Amino acid sequence: MAVYTEVSDEALTEFLALYDVGSVVSFKGIAEGVENSNFLLRTTKGQFILTLYEKRVAAADLPFFVGLMEHLSRRGVTCPQPVRNRAGEALGTLAGRPAAIVTFLDGLWIRRPNVRHCAGVGEAMARMHLAGADFSLRRENALSLAGWPPLFHAAEAQADSVAPGLRDEAATELAFLAARWPNRLPGGVIHADLFNDNVFFLAERLSGLIDFYFACNDAFAYDLAICLSAWCFEPDNAFNVSKGQALISAYERVRRLGDDEVAALPLLARGAALRFLLTRLVDWLNVPAGAKVAPKNPLEYRDKLRFHQRVRSAADYGLVR
Amino acid sequence: MAVYTEVSDEALTEFLALYDVGSVVSFKGIAEGVENSNFLLRTTKGQFILTLYEKRVAAADLPFFVGLMEHLSRRGVTCPQPVRNRAGEALGTLAGRPAAIVTFLDGLWIRRPNVRHCAGVGEAMARMHLAGADFSLRRENALSLAGWPPLFHAAEAQADSVAPGLRDEAATELAFLAARWPNRLPGGVIHADLFNDNVFFLAERLSGLIDFYFACNDAFAYDLAICLSAWCFEPDNAFNVSKGQALISAYERVRRLGDDEVAALPLLARGAALRFLLTRLVDWLNVPAGAKVAPKNPLEYRDKLRFHQRVRSAADYGLVR
């Protein structure tokens, strides 16, 4: 979430007239996240988030994202609920971009998660995995194994300017994973980006999940592997096994991992770390002029990758069997 | 307004505990403006703006700004009202910075103002000028004549990289204004930054003024001159005399300009244009790494300056006598 596109008053009024949301009383750009332009919209009828989908989100994928939020919401997963306009459509056009209004979710994202936050995320992710089981649309994970080589090639020439040896390190890992990546693990709809800024809490109670714009069909355990890197490392990039244990055991109280998933977890964690290393590297090397977001440091994920390379089994993450 | 500083959950909770504002239900960074970090804060008791004052705002000036908002608010000027903590203080410390909570103001800032918006601004500015008359604190205008040479010197070496000849053009104007700048015009507290993103409207009714962090004691007509440049030019930098007339005549319905102010208006408008040319130029040449704001184009104000240089009298702005 950020602001890449200005919305004129006339265009906003015209757009809102298609909806039964009342008239606008406040409209402010939100300075969070990286992919889309997001605005906090207050109307005479309530508070909403208005999102303009920028070019990194494919318009063809939007029905999947919007449908998924509706689907999960109906099954008790607290997430933004798309607001349909009077024609029954959840997607419109504003300032030349696809746009949607979703309900506003109370809660704060946690800057420094503790063990209890990690447990909350594990449980919510497992519930989401189960709730997505009967969702009818499919979306391939564009940022899994097949998506990594193009990212690597986009960044490799300049990678060593970020850190000496980074190019070779990424190339070696890419080859290692390509030879071993599992493709028969239990799967379904995963969030694929459940970082701490996409999970809201009120005190220590999880109040909702947001930002489903990387959601796709993939292995459930891969989603968990992403969270291990996103939630269970300390600011100095040391893995906190108490957090790992809290995350995994809370997940397993809702959905127990199979032996194949447990065995694959270290490899999946390496893949997840490489995925974020590569996308952050590409973003780092290509900051657009005038962007109102700061790119995230790719080296954080190099360090996490190195940790996962040293892991012997899922027990090192705190999994208890 | 933007976000330069992260606020941890613990720090926020600790800070809010000093206030009688209830407990937090939402906290989002706002992607607007350039000087401070601003967050939209929702609590169980309502909606607020939380501001962290970054280094460009001098801590010694904060009592002036906060006191002014309270003063104006009591006199019927709709502007954010500082919320005092249980100790009766409107200024606190959060994330190592001075911080304040102010009330939330409904309304939108107008991306493309029309004649009626310009009239609204003129009237509100005049009311603000009158309401500030008995405000007891004083703050010199750090960005008036004496403040321009340091800005010029900070930018002159690189000015021509932005546009050929820009250095000499600014130097000539600076000398011209230094020889003629008026210092005996009627004055008092002025806003000094009343751009369209600092004025809120609901439909075409002005609903409030925000961002008093350049407010200072200076000539009233200088404030009006700033607005002529900020509100009355079209996107192609052509002056719209209907907007100028609307702005000035609405101002004069509340506070009539004296002959000295009318005579000085073109010169004041040149000074105001040079001030924004110089500050934008310095910002343009010094974008901090990781900034979540895009600098504004200084050349917009070079073009406006050139217009004001050609003005013969305030009649060219639409003033009727």
Side-chain angles (χ1 to χ4, degrees), chain B residues 19 51 53 57-74 79-85 88-92 98-102 135 137 139 212-213 215:
Chain B
Y19 291 80
T51 300
Y53 298 101
V57 176
D61 286 335
L62 291 174
F64 176 91
F65 300 136
V66 166
L68 178 61
M69 285 190 274
E70 285 190 325
H71 178 94
L72 293 176
S73 197
R74 277 196 298 265
C79 65
Q81 171 88 30
V83 176
R84 291 182 174 264
N85 64 22
E89 285 157 3
L91 281 165
I101 297 174
V102 301
F135 181 54
L137 301 180
R139 179 175 178 264
F212 288 80
Y213 302 110

Side-chain angles (χ1 to χ4, degrees), chain B residues 242-258:
Chain B
S242 302
K243 292 182 177 176
Q245 182 172 359
L247 179 77
I248 296 172
S249 65
Y251 183 94
E252 287 210 290
R253 278 196 291 278
V254 178
R255 179 184 171 271
R256 189 175 162 90
L257 297 167

